[in-house]
Amino acid sequence: MFELLEERRMMSAAPIASLELLNTDTNQPVAGYASLQSGVTLDLAKLPAHISIQANPSGPVGSILFGYDGNAKYHNENYAPYSIAGDINAGAITNAWPLVLGAHTVVVTPYQNINDGGAAGATDTLKFTVIRTTGNTWYVNPTGANGASKTIAGAIALAQPGDTVLIEPGTYYESIKLTRSGGGGKPITIAAATAGTVTVNSTGDAVSFDGTSVGYINLQGIIFNGCSNPLETSAVRIGYDWNVTNVTVENAQSQGMEVYGNNTTLEGVIAQYNGQEGLGGVNCSNVLVQNCITRYNNPGLKNPSWAGSTFAQQVNGLWYVRADYESGAGKWGDTSNVTLNGVQSYSNHGTGIWFDGTNTNVVIENCTVYNAIPITEFYEGVGISIEMNGVGPVTIENNDVYNDPGGTIVIASSRHVKVTGNTFGGSYIALNDWPRGAAVTMEDISFTHNTMNNSFIWTGGTNWFTTSGSGKNVVFDYENYVGMTGPVFRWGTGVYQTIANVESSLKLELHGKQTA
């Protein structure tokens, strides 16, 4: 998988031979859509439940860049198969890409080198329209004109499996609770007629949009702004078999959005300015979080409902949720098969990406995590945290993590974690073997092929010795340490200034290198 850059350089990038619609459940082209032509109409009622767009180059390429609806750098793929939502397990599983009702444009450009580097080849542009022909459409507008419902909740109460609730621009002051599920192949679609023009304001209510116990829902293009939810409860609650696309949740008193169900995809979700944390999940499985943003959460509020509680602290007149409790970008706990791909997490007070407890088959890839902000102590601003996980596996791959004073990655009392192909900037990587029980002692931790930009290794706890690499099956190898201004390792009671010291004393980084 880790080919040398020189091996990925091409004399020229081959043009795109075809774009196809892929059934991601079978990894086979959808019948009739093996060659997509610009102007095509895609009817969701006639397509498989989980699909994606795949680009097939006519020859060698270094990478393929997908643009989508004005976002010129929506997704980059360095390795075949080249699909717009990426893949896992070396292409064995293609990530589903939720289609949103309306007109869209995808721009596909091959490049000579990886990471859309080198010369660009010929660009293909695919314009398409997404519709759904089955079921009824229930309209919502603020005035109730032309027989439409004045409230979103009123229209949802009428919707049956396969129906669409189409919401016209405006601000709707309501709290919405879903009681009816869609069905397999017949989801209920709840969508803004024009993405970003519909706002639900639930100030004064404990929940904004509650779908915890229902399934087969498509939620698209809505802004949830304001909710008076108590601490540790979410404003927007997602159930099972959902596709959530281009939704924003902001200015909630506590948590923004939480996933509680299985088989759910979040695409283009923005969670920001929420009083406790942005986007997370608990007791959920088979969840894909793709190209989402969580930022400016736990920003400090003047008088939240949870002011003065055990888990709150006041700093300079503002109330924050304690970073050691559950705050920041969002926490994931007791999950299975959760993938974060292309997530941006920045400027949250607390942790940027946090998996805590028993989480199995976690993948964190192609994410950017930076500027985690401490509340009072430097160690509160963590980039990526893997904590109390004795099961795993966890794969952290091809991410850019920097400017997080509490550690770019902190792995505490966890096992079976693989960290590879990332770039870390500033601060440190921490391995903390705290005495929290035999089931969560540190074992099987692997760091390979990462770039450490003035970022050193630091072990916490008392159980670290020069033989702990082999004893705990901890591997550091093939890293590149760049611009170090201090020791490269602080391992147990030892301080190691150079890679040569690490190699000779700890038997780690046998193929690592250190550059100015």
Side-chain angles (χ1 to χ4, degrees):
M1 183 175 181
F2 296 99
E3 302 173 359
L4 294 176
L5 180 60
E6 289 77 12
E7 295 174 353
R8 297 287 294 167
R9 288 178 179 154
M10 310 295 171
M11 294 302 295
S12 61
I16 302 300
S18 66
L19 299 174
E20 66 184 18
L21 200 64
L22 194 73
N23 182 340
T24 60
D25 290 329
T26 64
N27 260 9
Q28 297 297 318
V30 178
Y33 298 95
S35 182
L36 292 171
Q37 303 300 313
S38 199
V40 66
T41 295
L42 303 177
D43 185 352
L44 295 177
K46 300 176 181 178
L47 295 174
H50 304 112
I51 56 181
S52 187
I53 292 175
Q54 182 169 294
N56 301 311
S58 59
V61 299
S63 59
I64 290 180
L65 179 66
F66 292 87
Y68 176 56
D69 285 357
N71 182 352
K73 295 200 171 194
Y74 177 76
H75 182 71
N76 175 80
E77 278 285 288
N78 289 331
Y79 303 98
Y82 301 97
S83 58
I84 194 168
D87 54 68
I88 59 176
N89 294 345
I93 300 174
T94 302
N95 294 328
W97 188 59
L99 293 178
V100 180
L101 298 175
H104 304 284
T105 302
V106 168
V107 179
V108 183
T109 309
Y111 282 84
Q112 285 180 309
N113 303 333
I114 63 171
N115 299 324
D116 50 88
T123 293
D124 270 22
T125 299
L126 174 68
K127 293 183 179 294
F128 61 97
T129 301
V130 180
I131 63 172
R132 183 184 295 279
T133 57
T134 61
N136 296 313
T137 299
W138 305 94
Y139 292 92
V140 185
N141 67 48
T143 65
N146 301 316
S149 172
K150 289 184 179 181
T151 68
I152 299 170
I156 290 174
L158 299 172
Q160 301 294 320
D163 287 359
T164 297
V165 174
L166 201 60
I167 311 164
E168 297 181 9
T171 299
Y172 298 82
Y173 296 90
E174 54 183 304
S175 174
I176 302 163
K177 182 176 177 61
L178 278 62
T179 58
R180 182 182 295 116
S181 297
K186 289 187 175 182
I188 296 174
T189 298
I190 304 164
T194 302
T197 64
V198 172
T199 298
V200 175
N201 189 305
S202 303
T203 301
D205 295 305
V207 64
S208 187
F209 192 87
D210 186 359
T212 307
S213 60
V214 302
Y216 297 100
I217 301 293
N218 295 332
L219 182 64
Q220 301 175 352
I222 300 173
I223 299 169
F224 296 93
N225 184 356
C227 182
S228 302
N229 47 328
L231 200 64
E232 207 174 353
T233 63
S234 53
V236 178
R237 305 170 186 179
I238 307 301
Y240 60 93
D241 288 280
W242 284 49
N243 286 315
V244 182
T245 312
N246 297 338
V247 168
T248 296
V249 55
E250 58 190 12
N251 297 314
Q253 286 258 317
S254 180
Q255 298 170 334
M257 180 183 290
E258 195 96 346
V259 179
Y260 296 97
N262 305 330
N263 308 316
T264 286
T265 297
L266 310 182
E267 170 79 31
V269 170
I270 299 175
Q272 59 186 9
Y273 300 107
N274 298 292
Q276 180 181 352
E277 59 184 11
L279 171 63
V282 62
N283 294 323
C284 55
S285 65
N286 301 322
V287 176
L288 172 64
V289 183
Q290 173 90 16
N291 295 324
C292 296
I293 300 173
T294 177
R295 61 190 177 190
Y296 313 130
N297 296 292
N298 197 20
L301 303 179
K302 287 186 177 180
N303 190 30
S305 59
W306 39 264
S309 72
T310 303
F311 304 109
Q313 62 185 123
Q314 190 176 34
V315 180
N316 297 326
L318 298 177
W319 286 96
Y320 298 86
V321 178
R322 281 180 12 213
D324 63 345
Y325 171 58
E326 188 171 323
S327 66
K331 181 187 282 191
W332 298 84
D334 298 321
T335 70
S336 177
N337 295 304
V338 172
T339 296
L340 274 56
N341 187 358
V343 171
Q344 296 182 52
S345 175
Y346 58 90
S347 300
N348 301 283
H349 280 85
T351 300
I353 292 176
W354 193 354
F355 280 82
D356 189 8
T358 303
N359 295 283
T360 63
N361 297 308
V362 173
V363 177
I364 303 170
E365 60 183 0
N366 306 314
C367 298
T368 306
V369 186
Y370 62 100
N371 290 357
I373 306 172
I375 300 172
T376 57
E377 304 291 342
F378 78 93
Y379 51 77
E380 297 170 332
V382 176
I384 298 175
S385 177
I386 309 298
E387 183 178 359
M388 291 291 290
N389 190 349
V391 183
V394 177
T395 300
I396 302 171
E397 184 172 22
N398 297 332
N399 303 286
D400 193 6
V401 191
Y402 59 93
N403 198 28
D404 302 304
T408 51
I409 286 187
V410 176
I411 302 172
S413 303
S414 294
R415 297 176 179 176
H416 314 306
V417 181
K418 176 184 176 182
V419 184
T420 186
N422 303 278
T423 299
F424 302 120
S427 188
Y428 55 89
I429 289 97
L431 305 183
N432 294 329
D433 195 359
W434 304 126
R436 295 184 177 179
V440 288
T441 53
M442 294 286 282
E443 295 178 20
D444 190 24
I445 310 294
S446 171
F447 280 76
T448 59
H449 299 277
N450 300 289
T451 298
M452 312 291 193
N453 289 322
N454 195 24
S455 191
F456 65 93
I457 312 304
W458 186 5
T459 61
T462 59
N463 192 25
W464 293 96
F465 310 100
T466 57
T467 58
S468 290
S470 60
K472 298 175 184 289
N473 192 23
V474 174
V475 174
F476 281 87
D477 208 357
Y478 293 97
E479 261 73 62
N480 183 17
Y481 295 82
V482 181
M484 301 299 294
T485 57
V488 292
F489 271 58
R490 295 179 181 271
W491 187 275
T493 59
V495 178
Y496 303 89
Q497 299 291 339
T498 67
I499 288 297
N501 299 147
V502 172
E503 291 176 354
S504 61
S505 298
L506 303 178
K507 311 306 179 189
L508 300 173
E509 290 295 7
L510 301 182
H511 303 90
K513 62 180 180 178
Q514 186 173 352
T515 57

PDB file of all heavy atoms in Angstrom, residues 324-336:
ATOM      1  N   ASP A 324     -12.484  16.899  30.516  1.00  0.00           N
ATOM      2  CA  ASP A 324     -12.283  15.511  30.928  1.00  0.00           C
ATOM      3  C   ASP A 324     -13.600  14.764  31.089  1.00  0.00           C
ATOM      4  O   ASP A 324     -13.615  13.569  31.407  1.00  0.00           O
ATOM      5  CB  ASP A 324     -11.491  15.447  32.240  1.00  0.00           C
ATOM      6  CG  ASP A 324     -12.233  16.093  33.407  1.00  0.00           C
ATOM      7  OD1 ASP A 324     -13.213  16.830  33.158  1.00  0.00           O
ATOM      8  OD2 ASP A 324     -11.834  15.871  34.555  1.00  0.00           O
ATOM      9  N   TYR A 325     -14.708  15.445  30.850  1.00  0.00           N
ATOM     10  CA  TYR A 325     -16.015  14.803  30.974  1.00  0.00           C
ATOM     11  C   TYR A 325     -16.474  14.321  29.593  1.00  0.00           C
ATOM     12  O   TYR A 325     -16.317  13.171  29.221  1.00  0.00           O
ATOM     13  CB  TYR A 325     -17.016  15.774  31.599  1.00  0.00           C
ATOM     14  CG  TYR A 325     -18.444  15.290  31.576  1.00  0.00           C
ATOM     15  CD1 TYR A 325     -18.810  14.091  32.178  1.00  0.00           C
ATOM     16  CD2 TYR A 325     -19.440  16.041  30.946  1.00  0.00           C
ATOM     17  CE1 TYR A 325     -20.114  13.642  32.153  1.00  0.00           C
ATOM     18  CE2 TYR A 325     -20.750  15.607  30.921  1.00  0.00           C
ATOM     19  CZ  TYR A 325     -21.086  14.413  31.511  1.00  0.00           C
ATOM     20  OH  TYR A 325     -22.379  13.980  31.479  1.00  0.00           O
ATOM     21  N   GLU A 326     -17.013  15.190  28.817  1.00  0.00           N
ATOM     22  CA  GLU A 326     -17.469  14.833  27.476  1.00  0.00           C
ATOM     23  C   GLU A 326     -17.774  16.118  26.733  1.00  0.00           C
ATOM     24  O   GLU A 326     -18.883  16.638  26.772  1.00  0.00           O
ATOM     25  CB  GLU A 326     -18.717  13.948  27.553  1.00  0.00           C
ATOM     26  CG  GLU A 326     -19.137  13.371  26.219  1.00  0.00           C
ATOM     27  CD  GLU A 326     -20.235  12.325  26.352  1.00  0.00           C
ATOM     28  OE1 GLU A 326     -20.198  11.557  27.322  1.00  0.00           O
ATOM     29  OE2 GLU A 326     -21.106  12.291  25.479  1.00  0.00           O
ATOM     30  N   SER A 327     -16.762  16.651  26.067  1.00  0.00           N
ATOM     31  CA  SER A 327     -16.971  17.928  25.393  1.00  0.00           C
ATOM     32  C   SER A 327     -16.000  18.047  24.231  1.00  0.00           C
ATOM     33  O   SER A 327     -15.041  17.285  24.107  1.00  0.00           O
ATOM     34  CB  SER A 327     -16.760  19.092  26.377  1.00  0.00           C
ATOM     35  OG  SER A 327     -15.402  19.153  26.793  1.00  0.00           O
ATOM     36  N   GLY A 328     -16.248  19.020  23.396  1.00  0.00           N
ATOM     37  CA  GLY A 328     -15.386  19.262  22.242  1.00  0.00           C
ATOM     38  C   GLY A 328     -16.098  18.946  20.946  1.00  0.00           C
ATOM     39  O   GLY A 328     -17.280  19.247  20.766  1.00  0.00           O
ATOM     40  N   ALA A 329     -15.389  18.305  20.029  1.00  0.00           N
ATOM     41  CA  ALA A 329     -15.955  18.024  18.706  1.00  0.00           C
ATOM     42  C   ALA A 329     -17.051  16.970  18.764  1.00  0.00           C
ATOM     43  O   ALA A 329     -17.981  16.978  17.952  1.00  0.00           O
ATOM     44  CB  ALA A 329     -14.854  17.563  17.752  1.00  0.00           C
ATOM     45  N   GLY A 330     -16.955  16.022  19.723  1.00  0.00           N
ATOM     46  CA  GLY A 330     -17.948  14.956  19.827  1.00  0.00           C
ATOM     47  C   GLY A 330     -17.302  13.629  20.169  1.00  0.00           C
ATOM     48  O   GLY A 330     -16.201  13.328  19.723  1.00  0.00           O
ATOM     49  N   LYS A 331     -17.990  12.822  20.957  1.00  0.00           N
ATOM     50  CA  LYS A 331     -17.454  11.541  21.415  1.00  0.00           C
ATOM     51  C   LYS A 331     -18.246  10.381  20.811  1.00  0.00           C
ATOM     52  O   LYS A 331     -19.458  10.453  20.645  1.00  0.00           O
ATOM     53  CB  LYS A 331     -17.502  11.452  22.943  1.00  0.00           C
ATOM     54  CG  LYS A 331     -16.938  10.151  23.502  1.00  0.00           C
ATOM     55  CD  LYS A 331     -17.167  10.031  25.003  1.00  0.00           C
ATOM     56  CE  LYS A 331     -16.185  10.856  25.791  1.00  0.00           C
ATOM     57  NZ  LYS A 331     -16.240  10.536  27.247  1.00  0.00           N
ATOM     58  N   TRP A 332     -17.506   9.299  20.506  1.00  0.00           N
ATOM     59  CA  TRP A 332     -18.096   8.052  20.035  1.00  0.00           C
ATOM     60  C   TRP A 332     -17.821   6.982  21.076  1.00  0.00           C
ATOM     61  O   TRP A 332     -16.679   6.804  21.501  1.00  0.00           O
ATOM     62  CB  TRP A 332     -17.507   7.655  18.686  1.00  0.00           C
ATOM     63  CG  TRP A 332     -17.784   8.659  17.607  1.00  0.00           C
ATOM     64  CD1 TRP A 332     -17.076   9.801  17.342  1.00  0.00           C
ATOM     65  CD2 TRP A 332     -18.855   8.625  16.664  1.00  0.00           C
ATOM     66  NE1 TRP A 332     -17.635  10.490  16.296  1.00  0.00           N
ATOM     67  CE2 TRP A 332     -18.728   9.789  15.848  1.00  0.00           C
ATOM     68  CE3 TRP A 332     -19.890   7.728  16.411  1.00  0.00           C
ATOM     69  CZ2 TRP A 332     -19.615  10.068  14.816  1.00  0.00           C
ATOM     70  CZ3 TRP A 332     -20.771   8.010  15.375  1.00  0.00           C
ATOM     71  CH2 TRP A 332     -20.639   9.164  14.593  1.00  0.00           C
ATOM     72  N   GLY A 333     -18.874   6.242  21.477  1.00  0.00           N
ATOM     73  CA  GLY A 333     -18.691   5.229  22.501  1.00  0.00           C
ATOM     74  C   GLY A 333     -19.491   3.974  22.238  1.00  0.00           C
ATOM     75  O   GLY A 333     -20.639   4.037  21.780  1.00  0.00           O
ATOM     76  N   ASP A 334     -18.867   2.816  22.479  1.00  0.00           N
ATOM     77  CA  ASP A 334     -19.524   1.513  22.340  1.00  0.00           C
ATOM     78  C   ASP A 334     -20.105   1.339  20.942  1.00  0.00           C
ATOM     79  O   ASP A 334     -21.287   1.020  20.765  1.00  0.00           O
ATOM     80  CB  ASP A 334     -20.609   1.341  23.409  1.00  0.00           C
ATOM     81  CG  ASP A 334     -20.015   1.378  24.811  1.00  0.00           C
ATOM     82  OD1 ASP A 334     -18.916   0.819  25.004  1.00  0.00           O
ATOM     83  OD2 ASP A 334     -20.638   1.981  25.704  1.00  0.00           O
ATOM     84  N   THR A 335     -19.255   1.535  19.950  1.00  0.00           N
ATOM     85  CA  THR A 335     -19.678   1.465  18.557  1.00  0.00           C
ATOM     86  C   THR A 335     -19.000   0.294  17.851  1.00  0.00           C
ATOM     87  O   THR A 335     -18.034  -0.280  18.342  1.00  0.00           O
ATOM     88  CB  THR A 335     -19.326   2.758  17.810  1.00  0.00           C
ATOM     89  OG1 THR A 335     -17.894   2.832  17.645  1.00  0.00           O
ATOM     90  CG2 THR A 335     -19.815   3.987  18.551  1.00  0.00           C
ATOM     91  N   SER A 336     -19.489  -0.018  16.655  1.00  0.00           N
ATOM     92  CA  SER A 336     -18.885  -1.047  15.819  1.00  0.00           C
ATOM     93  C   SER A 336     -18.942  -0.603  14.364  1.00  0.00           C
ATOM     94  O   SER A 336     -19.980  -0.123  13.894  1.00  0.00           O
ATOM     95  CB  SER A 336     -19.636  -2.379  15.989  1.00  0.00           C
ATOM     96  OG  SER A 336     -19.103  -3.368  15.128  1.00  0.00           O
TER      97      SER A 336
END
